[in-house]
Amino acid sequence: MEEYASSNKEDEVYWRRNIENSFKEEINSATMNESLVEDSTSSPILSLCEEFQEEANNAAPFEVEQFINAKFPTEDSLTSLDTFLARVKAAVSRLDDDLSQKVREERFDSEKSSQHIAQAKEKLYQLQKDINAFSKEASRVEGKLNSVCTEIRTLEITRRNIASTLEAIKALQSFEETIDACEEAWRKRDWKGCANLFPDLVKYLWRFEQLEEYQELRKISSLIHRAKELSNQLQESISEQLRLFGPTGLSEISSYSERQQQIQQLQAMCKIMDYSGDDSRRQVIDWYIHSRIAAYEAIFAPGGEAAAVEATEKRFAWLRRELRYLEEHWKDIFPSEWNVAFKLANSFCSSTRKHLTAELEKKSPGDVTVLLRVLQKTIEFEQELERRFSQSSLDNEEKRRFSTASLQSEDSECTTKQHRFVGLISTCFEPYMGAYSALEDKNLGELLQKLVSEETWTLESPSTVLKSSTELFLQIKRCMKRCGALTTNQTFFNLHKVFKKHLKTYANALGEQLSKQGHLPSSSGFSFSSKDILPPSLHIQPLELTQVEERTICYIVSTAEYCASTVEQLVNSIKKRVDPVFADKVQMDIERDEFRAVAAKGLRSLAVGFYTRIQKHLNLMTQVNWSTIQSVGDSSLYVTKIEEEFFRSLPNIATLLSFVHFRYFCDRFVAIFIPAYLATLKTCKKVSFIGAQQLLLDAAAMKNMLQNVPFIAYPSREDHKEEKASSEFLAPWSSYQKFVNKEMTKVELILKVLLSPLETIVDTYAALIPDSSIGELNQLLEMKGLKKTSAAPYIVRYTQLSGKEFSSQSSDQTLENSSTDSKGEKPGVLERLGEKWRERRNSRS
């Protein structure tokens, strides 16, 4: 009742809220409608307000006096004053009436809402009374129904118990009859009858074993005991019969009818053992497998007549015969779900692995070819088993159970392949494959020595790669194929170390051959040492190259590039084929860098050789008397000679090198040539104004020639130079051209300083040359024909412009040094002074 009361109160609150909300909605709608009516009928007021607003010209705040003056500016306008006042009074009166009407309506609506709420409360109270009455009536009816159904429920339970009892009695009777019939069939050795009755026996036994509360009944416990004892007797009898009969007993029966009768008996025995459970099934399987493996071990176990590793193929022939015999005689006897052939092959592989491991530990084959032949045959046999049993119908539980039982004594390496035959035997050869790696090492070393000794280092074909490199990688590929067919484990990883060794040897051979190319030039053809011309980072040993030697270097560079790229592909190929545990350890970065170093060395040799060839033409600059030049003409002879050498040599080099390597060659050459060109320029003496102009013209021609190296080297691009200025061809040359422009700009600035008269040469030099020095200024003064005795004032002027503060003592010392230089007593003082000035400038910076 309390629950009903509480629910009634909640219903009352709910209905009250709904009624109040409905009243509020009606009031709001009525108010909205009245306001709409009011809006439509209050147009005089609105029009009057709009008129006030319009008359006031939107003034804020509203000023009454201004409004009146604006409304009635003259006496004539006062004629409409009465009309305007009447309108105002009418509007005020109408507003008063509207307000009164609103107040009356609001009072009436509130009284009406109260009446509605009172009526709703009355209805809610009546509804609560009806609900309480209905609940009492429902409780009374439920009590009557329960009293009526109690007797029916008791009858239903009784009926179910009687039916279950009858069913159990029938099952008990059938259980007893099955036991009797099975015992009778067993006494008669009717295995087929036992096999037909045994499934029902197992079913009834399992059913009554679940009824623990009724096993105290003598009848039931007696039958359970008889059934278990009968099952054990059947299993023992079947096991004894199988042992007496033997796995090869069928082959000894010559009569077809007797054989078929024996097969039926064996089928019945296996069916009984199959229904007896996993232990019984395993007992039969183990009996067959162990009996056959025992026969196998009698012949092939260590110490047996065919235990040698060389006789491994006979082992495989034995298993093939056993599987064929099993297929012919026992296929219809063993259920297919037992997979006896699969388990026999697995046990055979496990035993063979143990036998071969023992034989290899005792005496490894001295001949590597014998070991490889046996390993190859073993892998082929494993693949044969893999194909044969790939469609094995072992379920997951059977696989897990059998694999655990059959491989529990094997190495972890073997158990990782518990359902694969590949590697189950062959992995035992892995620790003894060092001889194979040594053989491959020896063969590869002999081949490499032969290839290097027979290499001509010249090519007739369009290819730019030496034949020895392609033959070497072809042999490496063959080694990988041979080893991969045998194993991809530790031996394959060790073989990759052999590859690394011989690749490094071949890289050294390329480097040695590279060192044999070229010879030192004669002293007459090379006027300057690199130490006198170039900075320390670019010191070089002059090298003269013949055309054949130059081509050989190009071949070596291209071959080194081919080897470096092929080494990366080789690493990826090895990582894909080797076992994952070794993949991360496969590295050939050192060998790849060795080949790249050979390529870089060859390109440097090419650059030095080409510079050496250019240098003898560059020396012609110093043989010209630049003080006697009368007019500026075409390019000088040395520029023409250098240009001819560019057009003769660069296309041949570009043809033999890859695009990237030719770019590197050009970078190295320019880094050597431009500083040497500038140093040679500074050795010219007594350069007149016209001579400086000619040198400036030559420098511009030299700069243009260096920047057009891409088109000189690749003549086919020359016709399209303008339209290809922003193409992919010139894009890689942008940094090269920037470097040429930067370096040649300094040469042009030095020549512009030479164009200045002696009076302004110091100012021009300090303004144009950012990294100026006293030593360089002294060289320029000598080029102008000024003697060292007369250079001191210019040096002092330069130090003043450079912001150096020298004492009078230092100035006197400078003058004194100048005077002593004129007597030839202390040469080189100005050079030492320049060095001291540079040291002070560097220390301050």
Side-chain angles (χ1 to χ4, degrees):
M1 292 301 293
E2 292 179 357
E3 295 178 356
Y4 287 124
S6 60
S7 62
N8 290 334
K9 290 181 180 179
E10 294 176 357
D11 293 339
E12 181 180 355
V13 172
Y14 172 78
W15 287 108
R16 181 181 298 171
R17 289 178 180 174
N18 287 341
I19 293 172
E20 289 178 354
N21 291 333
S22 63
F23 285 164
K24 289 179 181 179
E25 291 177 358
E26 292 179 1
I27 291 171
N28 291 333
S29 62
T31 304
M32 185 179 296
N33 294 332
E34 291 177 0
S35 62
L36 292 175
V37 174
E38 182 179 16
D39 291 340
S40 63
T41 56
S42 59
S43 58
I45 299 174
L46 292 177
S47 61
L48 182 62
C49 293
E50 292 175 357
E51 184 177 355
F52 270 78
Q53 187 66 22
E54 182 180 358
E55 294 294 339
N57 294 324
N58 295 327
F62 180 73
E63 295 292 341
V64 177
E65 184 176 355
Q66 294 180 3
F67 176 75
I68 293 175
N69 291 331
K71 189 69 176 175
F72 304 101
T74 62
E75 292 181 1
D76 295 336
S77 61
L78 294 176
T79 55
S80 61
L81 178 60
D82 294 336
T83 305
F84 180 74
L85 290 176
R87 289 176 59 195
V88 172
K89 288 179 181 180
V92 171
S93 177
R94 180 60 183 273
L95 286 174
D96 290 340
D97 294 340
D98 290 343
L99 290 174
S100 299
Q101 181 67 21
K102 289 293 183 182
V103 171
R104 287 193 298 271
E105 290 177 354
E106 183 63 26
R107 181 178 178 183
F108 173 77
D109 290 340
S110 60
E111 292 177 356
K112 187 176 181 181
S113 298
S114 299
Q115 293 176 1
H116 285 300
I117 291 172
Q119 292 176 0
K121 288 181 179 180
E122 182 66 24
K123 291 181 179 179
L124 288 173
Y125 177 73
Q126 185 64 34
L127 180 62
Q128 181 179 359
K129 289 175 63 178
D130 295 341
I131 291 173
N132 292 336
F134 178 76
S135 299
K136 292 179 181 179
E137 185 65 22
S139 300
R140 185 179 64 79
V141 173
E142 183 180 4
K144 290 182 179 181
L145 289 175
N146 288 333
S147 61
V148 172
C149 292
T150 300
E151 298 177 358
I152 298 175
R153 188 179 297 110
T154 303
L155 293 175
E156 178 63 21
I157 293 173
T158 303
R159 185 191 66 79
R160 292 178 182 176
N161 291 337
I162 292 173
S164 299
T165 303
L166 290 174
E167 184 180 356
I169 291 173
K170 289 181 181 179
L172 187 62
Q173 183 179 0
S174 300
F175 186 23
E176 184 177 10
E177 292 175 355
T178 302
I179 293 174
D180 294 337
C182 194
E183 288 177 344
E184 182 66 22
W186 175 63
R187 282 192 295 269
K188 295 179 180 180
R189 293 298 186 266
D190 183 9
W191 298 110
K192 186 175 182 181
C194 290
N196 293 331
L197 295 171
F198 197 76
D200 295 334
L201 178 67
V202 173
K203 180 181 68 174
Y204 289 129
L205 178 60
W206 178 84
R207 176 176 179 179
F208 284 102
E209 281 183 336
Q210 304 302 316
L211 303 175
E212 297 179 359
E213 64 274 14
Y214 298 107
Q215 290 184 10
E216 297 180 358
L217 297 176
R218 183 178 302 175
K219 184 67 172 177
I220 294 178
S221 60
S222 176
L223 291 177
I224 291 175
H225 177 71
R226 286 178 60 192
K228 289 183 177 180
E229 185 177 358
L230 177 60
S231 178
N232 293 333
Q233 290 174 353
L234 285 173
Q235 294 178 29
E236 292 177 0
S237 180
I238 290 173
S239 299
E240 182 180 359
Q241 291 291 328
L242 290 174
R243 284 194 298 270
L244 293 175
F245 184 74
T248 59
L250 288 174
S251 60
E252 299 173 357
I253 302 176
S254 59
S255 174
Y256 177 78
S257 59
E258 292 181 2
R259 181 180 297 178
Q260 291 299 319
Q261 183 179 1
Q262 187 63 44
I263 288 175
Q264 292 177 1
Q265 290 183 0
L266 292 173
Q267 288 177 342
M269 293 179 185
C270 292
K271 183 177 180 181
I272 293 172
M273 299 300 279
D274 193 27
Y275 276 100
S276 297
D278 292 341
D279 294 337
S280 301
R281 184 187 309 115
R282 188 183 302 111
Q283 183 179 358
V284 177
I285 296 173
D286 292 345
W287 159 76
Y288 184 86
I289 293 176
H290 291 166
S291 61
R292 302 317 302 146
I293 294 299
Y296 167 73
E297 292 186 346
I299 304 173
F300 297 99
E305 59 184 36
V309 176
E310 292 80 356
T312 304
E313 293 183 51
K314 295 182 179 179
R315 299 172 180 267
F316 305 150
W318 181 91
L319 181 62
R320 292 189 184 99
R321 289 194 301 270
E322 286 296 321
L323 293 177
R324 187 162 53 251
Y325 174 79
L326 180 63
E327 182 75 16
E328 292 176 358
H329 296 89
W330 291 84
K331 177 182 178 181
D332 298 330
I333 297 173
F334 294 133
S336 59
E337 294 80 8
W338 288 13
N339 289 286
V340 178
F342 172 84
K343 296 172 185 178
L344 176 62
N346 204 313
S347 297
F348 168 84
C349 292
S350 300
S351 298
T352 303
R353 176 186 171 86
K354 293 178 184 178
H355 297 169
L356 293 178
T357 301
E359 288 295 323
L360 290 170
E361 290 177 352
K362 182 172 61 177
K363 183 181 178 181
S364 179
D367 190 358
V368 179
T369 56
V370 174
L371 181 65
L372 296 180
R373 179 180 59 80
V374 172
L375 179 57
Q376 181 66 36
K377 294 297 182 181
T378 302
I379 293 174
E380 292 176 359
F381 178 71
E382 290 174 342
Q383 293 173 349
E384 177 186 344
L385 294 180
E386 187 74 20
R387 292 190 298 270
R388 179 168 185 165
F389 297 105
S390 60
Q391 303 297 329
S392 178
S393 59
L394 281 174
D395 56 11
N396 293 333
E397 181 63 23
E398 183 69 13
K399 284 182 178 181
R400 183 196 62 78
R401 179 183 58 77
F402 175 73
S403 299
T404 304
S406 61
L407 299 179
Q408 58 186 356
S409 61
E410 295 300 316
D411 299 337
S412 59
E413 181 183 355
C414 181
T415 56
T416 57
K417 302 178 180 180
Q418 51 188 345
H419 298 305
R420 291 182 57 85
F421 287 97
V422 175
L424 198 56
I425 303 175
S426 58
T427 51
C428 70
F429 292 93
E430 195 68 42
Y432 308 95
M433 292 294 287
Y436 168 72
S437 299
L439 178 62
E440 291 288 5
D441 186 7
K442 178 183 176 182
N443 294 337
L444 201 58
E446 293 176 353
L447 175 67
L448 180 58
Q449 185 177 2
K450 179 181 178 182
L451 291 175
V452 173
S453 62
E454 295 178 354
E455 183 61 71
T456 60
W457 307 104
T458 58
L459 294 174
E460 301 296 336
S461 62
S463 174
T464 58
V465 178
L466 296 174
K467 181 181 179 181
S468 57
S469 63
T470 56
E471 290 292 335
L472 176 61
F473 280 104
L474 182 60
Q475 184 64 23
I476 289 175
K477 183 178 179 180
R478 292 169 181 165
C479 293
M480 287 179 56
K481 186 176 180 180
R482 284 195 298 267
C483 187
L486 300 175
T487 176
T488 57
N489 210 318
Q490 181 69 46
T491 304
F492 198 88
F493 178 73
N494 293 338
L495 189 62
H496 120 274
K497 296 181 180 179
V498 174
F499 298 158
K500 294 176 61 175
K501 170 186 172 182
H502 294 290
L503 286 172
K504 190 172 183 180
T505 302
Y506 185 66
N508 294 335
L510 292 178
E512 291 176 1
Q513 186 65 29
L514 192 62
S515 303
K516 297 178 183 179
Q517 307 302 315
H519 58 277
L520 293 177
S522 60
S523 58
S524 59
F526 200 82
S527 302
F528 300 99
S529 171
S530 64
K531 295 182 179 179
D532 300 331
I533 299 176
L534 303 178
S537 60
L538 295 175
H539 286 172
I540 60 171
Q541 184 70 28
L543 184 67
E544 281 192 356
L545 297 173
T546 64
Q547 187 175 5
V548 175
E549 290 173 338
E550 190 175 77
R551 293 177 66 87
T552 300
I553 293 177
C554 292
Y555 294 147
I556 293 175
V557 169
S558 299
T559 302
E561 178 188 14
Y562 162 76
C563 292
S565 60
T566 309
V567 163
E568 294 183 358
Q569 299 174 9
L570 179 62
V571 170
N572 295 332
S573 179
I574 293 174
K575 285 184 176 181
K576 290 179 180 179
R577 300 194 64 176
V578 75
D579 285 357
V581 69
F582 298 103
D584 294 337
K585 300 178 183 179
V586 177
Q587 297 291 338
M588 289 189 179
D589 295 342
I590 297 177
E591 291 70 24
R592 180 195 58 196
D593 294 341
E594 288 280 347
F595 285 111
R596 289 178 176 175
V598 171
K601 181 181 177 182
L603 293 173
R604 288 194 297 269
S605 299
L606 280 177
V608 173
F610 187 56
Y611 162 72
T612 304
R613 195 179 306 162
I614 295 295
Q615 178 63 41
K616 60 184 179 182
H617 303 308
L618 194 62
N619 290 341
L620 296 176
M621 184 195 308
T622 61
Q623 300 175 10
V624 178
N625 188 357
W626 296 103
S627 62
T628 60
I629 300 295
Q630 299 298 325
S631 62
V632 178
D634 295 334
S635 299
S636 300
L637 178 62
Y638 72 92
V639 177
T640 304
K641 293 289 185 180
I642 292 175
E643 185 176 5
E644 290 176 357
E645 192 64 43
F646 269 49
F647 277 94
R648 181 170 57 253
S649 299
L650 289 181
N652 296 330
I653 297 175
T655 303
L656 299 175
L657 295 179
S658 65
F659 185 82
V660 174
H661 281 167
F662 183 72
R663 258 297 317 276
Y664 181 80
F665 160 78
C666 293
D667 291 340
R668 296 297 302 177
F669 170 73
V670 170
I672 298 173
F673 174 74
I674 294 180
Y677 172 61
L678 180 59
T680 306
L681 178 65
K682 291 179 181 180
T683 59
C684 297
K685 305 297 183 182
K686 297 181 181 180
V687 180
S688 64
F689 180 79
I690 301 299
Q693 288 183 331
Q694 182 64 46
L695 287 173
L696 185 61
L697 177 64
D698 294 341
M702 195 75 71
K703 178 181 178 181
N704 182 62
M705 181 170 54
L706 290 174
Q707 287 185 335
N708 282 278
V709 161
F711 300 106
I712 296 174
Y714 302 99
S716 59
R717 302 279 183 170
E718 180 66 29
D719 298 336
H720 307 283
K721 181 170 62 175
E722 296 298 331
E723 63 186 63
K724 297 290 184 178
S726 59
S727 65
E728 294 182 358
F729 171 71
L730 282 182
W733 292 94
S734 59
S735 59
Y736 164 81
Q737 292 179 335
K738 289 179 181 178
F739 178 71
V740 171
N741 184 67
K742 176 184 176 182
E743 295 298 319
M744 289 300 297
T745 298
K746 185 174 182 180
V747 177
E748 294 173 345
L749 292 177
I750 292 294
L751 293 174
K752 288 180 181 178
V753 172
L754 285 178
L755 290 172
S756 303
L758 285 174
E759 294 78 8
T760 60
I761 190 171
V762 175
D763 297 340
T764 305
Y765 176 71
L768 293 181
I769 307 302
D771 52 347
S772 58
S773 65
I774 294 178
E776 189 175 49
L777 177 60
N778 190 39
Q779 290 177 341
L780 294 179
L781 292 175
E782 291 181 2
M783 293 178 68
K784 293 285 288 185
L786 194 66
K787 296 182 179 179
K788 292 183 179 181
T789 56
S790 305
Y794 297 97
I795 300 300
V796 174
R797 170 64 177 166
Y798 173 73
T799 57
Q800 293 175 353
L801 290 176
S802 302
K804 309 299 179 183
E805 297 179 359
F806 288 90
S807 61
S808 59
Q809 181 179 359
S810 63
S811 300
D812 296 340
Q813 183 68 29
T814 303
L815 295 175
E816 182 180 355
N817 292 336
S818 301
S819 61
T820 55
D821 286 341
S822 62
K823 298 177 181 180
E825 296 178 356
K826 294 182 180 180
V829 174
L830 289 178
E831 285 78 4
R832 291 196 298 272
L833 182 62
E835 293 293 332
K836 184 183 296 184
W837 181 83
R838 281 196 298 273
E839 292 175 0
R840 294 183 60 187
R841 183 184 64 179
N842 294 334
S843 63
R844 288 189 178 184
S845 62

